Amino acid sequence: MWYWLFKYVFLGPLLYVIGRPKTQGLEHLPSNGSAILASNHLAVMDSFFLPLMVRRRITFLAKQEYFTGTGVKGRFLAWFYTVVGQVPIDRTDADSAQAALDTAKRILDQGKLLGMYPEGTRSPDGRLYKGKTGLARLALETGVPVIPVAMVGTNVVNPPGARFLRSGKVEVRFGKPMDFSRFDGMAGNRFIERAVIDEVMYALMELSGQEYVDVYAASLKETAAPELPSPTSSRLPESAAG
């Protein structure tokens, strides 16, 4: 109930005023059944504008830190993220990664839409970064379609580090469902999984118009280098083109 109240009563109307969101390719979303929505990640508000534009409920996997805060504020945020459809996952080690994968499978087994950010974290500069293979393994093990989703303009409405939302124009672009059944039985093969996620990232690059950088966004943030690396190419490896 709270999910729909936030979407249509409390938060949704405000986001429509601030972001004036519109969609492209909404017909590519299935009216029922499970699918993975693979989105680029520009801002925290991606997880709010995307569900706003889709009639069906979307469940996201969110880092556990969102749910472990203390005090009144921490408890409120944990409740809020839960009611708006986010599920906590621990990303600290290999066992935690497998637990997250199992959680994602359960969501898809229930015929739901699962939202994932293959970059693993928000883009530090608006460019598109190398995808992690967890999404690829999930797609191969479940056989569900992957729908690329490009968020455009959310980093203007919700700039990194800003305390308040700003007026802007948000567009949510949905690409054609991607079928990886040709790789049936190959889950766990790191070369196949890399080829799959590269194909997804290539679709996101074309859909969003972002420049591609062939490094992980998380590693870039950890090093905090004074200068960002130049993109190696505007295209992904040949394996991504299928």
Side-chain angles (χ1 to χ4, degrees):
M1 180 186 71
W2 282 107
Y3 179 93
W4 305 110
L5 284 175
F6 273 109
K7 180 173 179 176
Y8 293 117
V9 179
F10 300 138
L11 190 57
L14 175 64
L15 295 183
Y16 269 109
V17 171
I18 293 176
R20 292 169 285 171
K22 62 180 182 178
T23 62
Q24 176 183 313
L26 198 57
E27 68 276 7
H28 296 311
L29 277 182
S31 57
N32 54 68
S34 57
I36 299 171
L37 304 186
S39 175
N40 63 334
H41 200 11
L42 297 174
V44 172
M45 295 307 294
D46 292 334
S47 299
F48 298 91
F49 276 105
L50 176 52
L52 183 66
M53 308 310 291
V54 176
R55 288 187 178 182
R56 294 181 59 189
R57 178 167 181 160
I58 301 174
T59 301
F60 288 91
L61 300 182
K63 58 184 180 181
Q64 188 170 314
E65 291 85 340
Y66 288 161
F67 301 82
T68 56
T70 58
V72 175
K73 180 180 178 181
R75 290 194 296 272
F76 171 79
L77 288 176
W79 171 80
F80 175 75
Y81 283 118
T82 299
V83 300
V84 296
Q86 303 204 25
V87 176
I89 57 169
D90 184 358
R91 308 178 298 177
T92 54
D93 53 36
D95 290 339
S96 300
Q98 183 58 50
L101 186 64
D102 292 340
T103 298
K105 286 181 182 178
R106 286 197 298 272
I107 293 169
L108 293 172
D109 285 344
Q110 295 168 4
K112 296 180 178 180
L113 296 178
L114 176 67
M116 296 185 71
Y117 299 113
E119 292 169 276
T121 187
R122 295 188 300 277
S123 170
D125 59 1
R127 294 187 287 183
L128 185 69
Y129 284 80
K130 187 175 183 178
K132 297 189 174 183
T133 57
L135 185 148
R137 175 168 293 196
L138 182 62
L140 294 174
E141 291 188 359
T142 61
V144 304
V146 177
I147 300 174
V149 181
M151 306 299 297
V152 180
T154 50
N155 55 336
V156 175
V157 172
N158 179 208
R163 297 182 61 184
F164 301 101
L165 299 181
R166 302 176 183 178
S167 178
K169 293 183 179 180
V170 171
E171 185 172 5
V172 185
R173 302 171 183 168
F174 298 91
K176 295 180 180 179
M178 305 179 74
D179 176 17
F180 296 106
S181 58
R182 64 187 185 279
F183 297 126
D184 278 351
M186 296 185 184
N189 183 313
R190 63 188 181 94
F191 298 105
I192 296 298
E193 290 177 354
R194 173 48 56 190
V196 168
I197 196 60
D198 280 352
E199 191 171 335
V200 172
M201 301 312 291
Y202 184 86
L204 284 176
M205 183 188 72
E206 291 196 316
L207 199 60
S208 68
Q210 289 172 280
E211 195 171 36
Y212 177 74
V213 184
D214 196 28
V215 298
Y216 293 116
S219 64
L220 189 67
K221 290 181 178 180
E222 288 171 2
T223 57
E227 292 187 7
L228 295 173
S230 298
T232 56
S233 171
S234 62
R235 297 181 63 86
L236 292 178
E238 288 302 316
S239 60

